[in-house]
């Protein structure tokens, strides 16, 4: 049996999701963990049976017995470690976003083009069973040509603080953290059309709502209620070269009645809601019908999503499959997201050449 030997750069919460999926894969051996916190790297390595840990990821990348790596660091080092890994001859699964900016994302793509290594982006929701089932309907032509989509992820008070609230490190706020998930899902289901223009808005009105004490919220370990340099929320209209369009909204802080997630796509023969639960709209015998596929869950399944993502990364790295989320898709997401910020800052529609 083939053994795919992996290292993980970064040992935080998202790395744990990767490691649990790697540990469950019969062909994977977890070799090494690196983290700038050496004690955490050692602890995580011991927990997942890795033989080595490093405080410097350069040392991990220098090891000949590592075939691929997951990059699970802060956004400001995604490009640095992905490029270094490719140049060290490793396959790479880099968490989303692929990078903070188009320039960083393009540098990654340039490194990929000079190599024969796989670079896959961590668009884990593509790998959830509900998305896979809907994609099979779309690929079979049963919804026709996709021409409109909506993508929304609203948190009323969901700013985690720490590096997520630091624009220099994160590159942005909810747009790059959670909005990218639903934007990517809608774009992927539409067939990944080329974006030609973006009109967007961002708002910095409510801040992190640290004054609210009666609702629980996820906070990172270094949460500081006085530190926040990212937007509260963003919205955008994206137009594509095939005439299709997409409406996006996302927030960390918003006076809304509830948190919500919505992803819907609409075609010439039918449409579908992927989130909050998979349901397909169609016409049959001159009647409007709603179809509910009978699957394990109509919504995103985190465990299954990461398991399928890791399996696809391993298969792509071993030449047995195409990556479901190649680097060029991460670059296109970066182009759209950067255009939203530019449009908001300049108060105009941005054309993408």
């Amino acid at each position: 049996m083939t053994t795919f030997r992996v290292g993980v750069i970064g040992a935080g919460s998202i790395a744990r999701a990767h490691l649990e999926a790697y540990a469950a894969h019969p062909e994977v051996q977890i070799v090494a963990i690196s983290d700038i916190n050496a004690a955490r790297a050692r602890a995580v390595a011991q927990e997942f049976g890795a033989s080595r840990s490093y405080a410097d990821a350069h040392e991990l990348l220098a090891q000949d017995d590592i075939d691929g790596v997951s990059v699970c660091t802060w956004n400001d080092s995604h490009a640095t470690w992905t490029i270094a890994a490719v140049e060290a001859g490793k396959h790479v699964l880099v968490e989303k976003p692929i990078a903070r900016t188009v320039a960083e994302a393009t540098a990654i793509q340039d490194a990929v083009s000079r190599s024969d290594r796989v670079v896959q982006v961590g668009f884990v929701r593509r790998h959830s069973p509900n998305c896979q089932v809907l994609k099979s309907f779309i690929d079979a032509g049963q919804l026709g040509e996709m021409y409109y989509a909506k993508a929304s992820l609203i948190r009323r008070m969901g700013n985690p603080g720490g590096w997520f609230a630091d624009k220099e490190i994160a590159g942005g706020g909810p747009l790059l953290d959670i909005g990218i998930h639903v934007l990517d899902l809608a774009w992927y289901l539409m067939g990944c059309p080329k974006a030609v223009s973006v009109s967007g808005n961002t708002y910095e009105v409510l801040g992190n709502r640290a004054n609210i004490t009666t609702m629980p919220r996820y906070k990172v370990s270094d949460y500081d209620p006085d530190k926040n340099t990212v937007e509260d929320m963003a919205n955008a209209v994206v137009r594509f070269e095939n005439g299709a369009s997409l409406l996006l909204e996302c927030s960390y802080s918003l006076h809304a009645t509830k948190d919500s997630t919505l992803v819907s796509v609409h075609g010439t023969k039918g449409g579908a809601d992927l989130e909050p639960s998979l349901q397909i709209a169609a016409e049959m015998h001159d009647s409007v019908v709603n179809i509910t596929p009978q699957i394990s869950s109509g919504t995103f399944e985190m465990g299954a999503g990461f398991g399928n993502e890791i399996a696809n990364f391993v298969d792509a790295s071993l030449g047995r499959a195409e990556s479901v989320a190649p680097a060029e898709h991460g670059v296109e997401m970066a182009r759209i997201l950067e255009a939203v910020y530019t449009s908001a800052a300049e108060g105009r529609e941005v054309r993408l050449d």
Side-chain angles (χ1 to χ4, degrees), residues 144-351:
E145 296 296 320
M146 297 293 104
Y147 63 88
Y148 179 56
K150 292 185 287 185
S152 172
L153 207 168
I154 298 298
R155 290 181 182 171
R156 293 173 289 175
M157 41 175 292
N159 187 324
W163 72 268
F164 289 98
D166 187 329
K167 188 174 182 178
E168 285 299 312
I169 297 174
L175 192 58
L176 263 69
D177 179 27
I178 58 177
I180 189 174
H181 276 305
V182 291
L183 170 64
D184 174 70
L185 276 175
W187 181 70
Y188 174 62
L189 293 169
M190 295 175 82
C192 304
K194 179 179 172 55
V196 294
S197 70
V198 174
S199 182
N201 303 279
T202 60
Y203 298 93
E204 299 175 14
V205 179
L206 303 181
N208 59 15
R209 302 189 77 182
N211 60 298
I212 303 296
T213 60
T214 55
M215 284 183 63
R217 71 166 81 190
Y218 168 69
K219 298 178 182 178
V220 297
S221 58
D222 59 342
Y223 177 84
D224 184 338
D226 297 322
K227 293 183 178 179
N228 179 55
T229 57
V230 299
E231 76 274 7
D232 299 347
M233 69 92 62
N235 59 49
V237 175
V238 185
R239 293 182 175 86
F240 301 99
E241 64 179 357
N242 63 356
S245 61
L246 184 154
L247 183 63
L248 168 69
E249 63 174 5
C250 59
S251 71
Y252 274 165
S253 298
L254 190 68
H255 289 309
T257 58
K258 62 181 179 179
D259 294 349
S260 61
T261 304
L262 170 68
V263 178
S264 64
V265 292
H266 307 273
T268 55
K269 294 181 181 179
D273 290 339
L274 178 64
E275 297 289 351
S277 187
L278 177 59
Q279 194 167 46
I280 297 168
E283 290 183 15
M284 299 178 69
H285 309 294
D286 298 324
S287 296
V288 173
V289 297
N290 290 343
I291 301 167
T292 304
Q294 301 302 291
I295 58 177
S296 56
S297 174
T299 191
F300 172 61
E301 296 180 75
M302 184 171 177
F306 275 101
N308 292 338
E309 177 180 61
I310 292 302
N312 178 238
F313 174 56
V314 172
D315 284 344
S317 298
L318 295 175
R320 301 188 302 215
E322 294 295 321
S323 172
V324 171
E328 56 264 29
H329 287 189
V331 176
E332 185 65 10
M333 280 294 101
R335 290 177 68 244
I336 294 171
L337 294 168
E338 190 169 286
V340 174
Y341 285 121
T342 300
S343 174
E346 299 180 3
R348 64 176 179 86
E349 182 179 67
V350 172
R351 299 289 301 178

Side-chain angles (χ1 to χ4, degrees), residues 7-59:
V8 176
I9 302 175
S13 59
I14 199 67
R16 179 168 295 276
H18 286 238
L19 285 161
E20 290 173 350
Y22 280 132
H25 195 294
E27 294 179 299
V28 169
Q29 177 187 357
I30 302 171
V31 175
I33 310 293
S34 74
D35 193 275
I36 55 176
N37 183 327
R40 180 164 66 177
R42 284 194 300 272
V44 172
Q46 182 176 9
E47 179 181 356
F48 286 94
S51 60
R52 280 160 274 157
S53 66
Y54 304 96
D56 185 348
H58 288 106
E59 295 182 59

